[in-house]
Amino acid sequence: MWNTKCKWQTGYSADSVEWCPVEPWRHVLVCGTYQLDKSDQETKDADQPKQKRLGRIYLFLLNKITTEISPTQTIDTAGILDMKWCYHKIQGHPVLAVVTSDGYIQLYRLLDENGTLKLELWIEDAICGNVLALSVDWSSNKTSTAQPSLVVSDSSGAVTVFRIFGRSLEKMGYWLGHSFEAWIAAFNYWNPDVFYSGGDDCMFKSYDVRVADVPTATNRSHEAGVTAIRSQIHVEHQLLTGSYDEKVRLWDARSLKRCITETDVNGGVWRLKWHPSNTSVVLAACMYGGFRVLRVTDEVAVMCEYVEHESIAYGADWQFGKSTAESDDKATAESDKSTVDSDDKSIVATCSFYDCSMHIGEIVIQKCL
């Protein structure tokens, strides 16, 4: 079951939502938006600057989910294409990575100023040239490190790896992996030297930061652009990809010649998020098909769908930790545990593009006896 708790209008078109995974800030949610500047008319002259894209980051503090929510902070930026929290603190603070339409990666620290939480720009660096930065991922989602790496994909088809070095970013490598847009890049969380990319050329590629210039593996089985890649932090070698061809594929990361299984989800797959604690459940943003919850075992199956958004489903994320409802039921669940597992109750955030909408919902996942 997927129940809507509240809806909020984002103003600009919404394409990214991310819950903070770091304790005790798991009630913190960010929403990123992207909008063409209608006052800035596009030109046919290739020598002129590209059309300006505007964006905003909204910060929400959702200790309690009510029917009315509002952001506690709004940051005006260039258009936001992707955001990801680091799974651990860096230099004492939670850190949010953001990639933008003007080709920058930005790192924001979450600060507590006299009891008020706010995001503050910490580090900013250009990717390269006149590109849109399209996706970002952290290397350290499984293993904490003082100097985590980030991988960024861009509209030229390239992927760039950076490492945090003090108060700056050090460029570790650059790979021109795709002939068209590199829609997505993601790390293997069990081996942070390894990362992946997917492009509009239908290619799914693997790389090793210790090997310069060329990918270590290339798979050509996707029937359209590769738009989502996600490593599983709880199960080694498990990897998912999503594509414009409307299929989710399960892979063994040790062999990318062919996928283990695939399933049609009736929508181009923009984002895939493993459940934070239930290792077989995945949240999928399926563009024109809405949102899906998937069960991943030796096959991939659709458990339920959510189609209350009225435009392209782009952003989706699970809240880490227990929902309010699950916490209230904890005593009952513990008393019944010897005979039957309690249902999983999880809070999710979703967002959609042209209707400028963000929803908070609760998903109840029934467990087997």
Side-chain angles (χ1 to χ4, degrees):
M1 295 183 293
W2 192 323
N3 304 311
T4 303
K5 294 294 185 181
C6 64
K7 302 178 181 181
W8 188 74
Q9 287 298 114
T10 60
Y12 292 163
S13 300
D15 59 9
S16 180
V17 283
E18 296 287 327
W19 290 96
C20 182
V22 183
E23 288 278 20
W25 299 281
R26 291 180 171 179
H27 62 294
V28 174
L29 173 69
V30 289
C31 176
T33 62
Y34 172 102
Q35 186 91 21
L36 288 175
D37 186 352
K38 296 177 181 178
S39 66
D40 185 16
Q41 297 299 316
E42 193 167 10
T43 177
K44 296 182 180 179
D45 189 343
D47 295 329
Q48 294 297 316
K50 60 188 177 184
Q51 188 174 12
K52 188 175 182 181
R53 297 166 173 87
L54 307 174
R56 289 190 183 122
I57 303 170
Y58 297 104
L59 177 71
F60 296 86
L61 308 179
L62 300 179
N63 288 297
K64 184 177 181 180
I65 309 298
T66 63
T67 55
E68 298 291 333
I69 62 171
S70 60
T72 59
Q73 183 184 10
T74 301
I75 301 172
D76 287 313
T77 65
I80 303 296
L81 279 304
D82 195 19
M83 304 186 295
K84 297 286 186 346
W85 291 97
C86 184
Y87 274 42
H88 61 85
K89 291 184 287 186
I90 302 174
Q91 300 179 25
H93 300 281
V95 176
L96 176 70
V98 175
V99 288
T100 68
S101 59
D102 56 2
Y104 276 80
I105 177 171
Q106 300 174 330
L107 302 185
Y108 290 85
R109 296 194 299 180
L110 184 66
L111 304 179
D112 188 333
E113 293 189 352
N114 300 318
T116 301
L117 291 176
K118 62 174 291 186
L119 291 170
E120 180 178 90
L121 183 61
W122 178 40
I123 300 172
E124 183 178 46
D125 204 348
I127 305 303
C128 63
N130 189 25
V131 299
L132 281 70
L134 298 176
S135 76
V136 63
D137 196 25
W138 293 90
S139 66
S140 55
N141 283 10
K142 182 168 179 61
T143 305
S144 176
T145 176
Q147 294 181 311
S149 298
L150 300 106
V151 61
V152 178
S153 68
D154 67 50
S155 57
S156 74
V159 285
T160 305
V161 174
F162 297 90
R163 183 178 65 181
I164 293 180
F165 188 75
R167 294 180 56 87
S168 63
L169 289 173
E170 178 184 20
K171 186 175 290 187
M172 303 296 293
Y174 170 90
W175 293 260
L176 186 59
H178 300 273
S179 52
F180 301 106
E181 291 91 341
W183 292 119
I184 189 70
F187 277 101
N188 181 326
Y189 302 136
W190 293 76
N191 182 358
D193 287 326
V194 174
F195 64 96
Y196 311 97
S197 70
D200 207 48
D201 55 5
C202 310
M203 302 293 183
F204 168 41
K205 297 190 176 187
S206 173
Y207 310 79
D208 191 310
V209 294
R210 298 162 295 187
V211 180
D213 301 330
V214 295
T216 55
T218 299
N219 181 281
R220 297 175 171 83
S221 64
H222 295 80
E223 300 164 28
V226 181
T227 46
I229 303 171
R230 194 69 172 177
S231 173
Q232 164 67 288
I233 66 171
H234 298 296
V235 182
E236 191 173 8
H237 310 307
Q238 255 193 357
L239 187 68
L240 291 175
T241 62
S243 169
Y244 284 135
D245 66 13
E246 304 190 351
K247 295 177 182 177
V248 171
R249 293 170 171 85
L250 174 65
W251 304 82
D252 184 323
R254 294 167 293 186
S255 176
L256 300 183
K257 290 184 178 180
R258 60 183 61 86
C259 67
I260 297 170
T261 187
E262 65 182 44
T263 194
D264 194 312
V265 294
N266 194 30
V269 184
W270 191 252
R271 287 292 177 265
L272 293 164
K273 297 289 184 68
W274 294 95
H275 191 282
S277 58
N278 191 327
T279 59
S280 65
V281 175
V282 173
L283 180 62
C286 300
M287 299 182 73
Y288 292 99
F291 297 88
R292 305 282 186 273
V293 176
L294 311 176
R295 174 80 72 185
V296 178
T297 51
D298 55 350
E299 60 181 12
V300 179
V302 177
M303 297 173 63
C304 71
E305 63 180 23
Y306 182 74
V307 292
E308 290 192 20
H309 286 267
E310 298 177 1
S311 183
I312 308 172
Y314 272 145
D317 199 21
W318 304 95
Q319 184 179 26
F320 289 72
K322 297 180 184 298
S323 72
T324 302
E326 188 174 8
S327 297
D328 292 343
D329 292 341
K330 184 177 181 181
T332 304
E334 287 295 325
S335 65
D336 294 340
K337 194 171 183 180
S338 60
T339 56
V340 61
D341 284 336
S342 64
D343 293 343
D344 277 340
K345 298 177 183 178
S346 299
I347 297 295
V348 295
T350 54
C351 69
S352 49
F353 202 65
Y354 293 115
D355 61 343
C356 306
S357 185
M358 183 183 78
H359 295 190
I360 307 295
E362 183 179 67
I363 298 176
V364 181
I365 303 169
Q366 294 181 342
K367 290 186 176 180
C368 296
L369 294 175

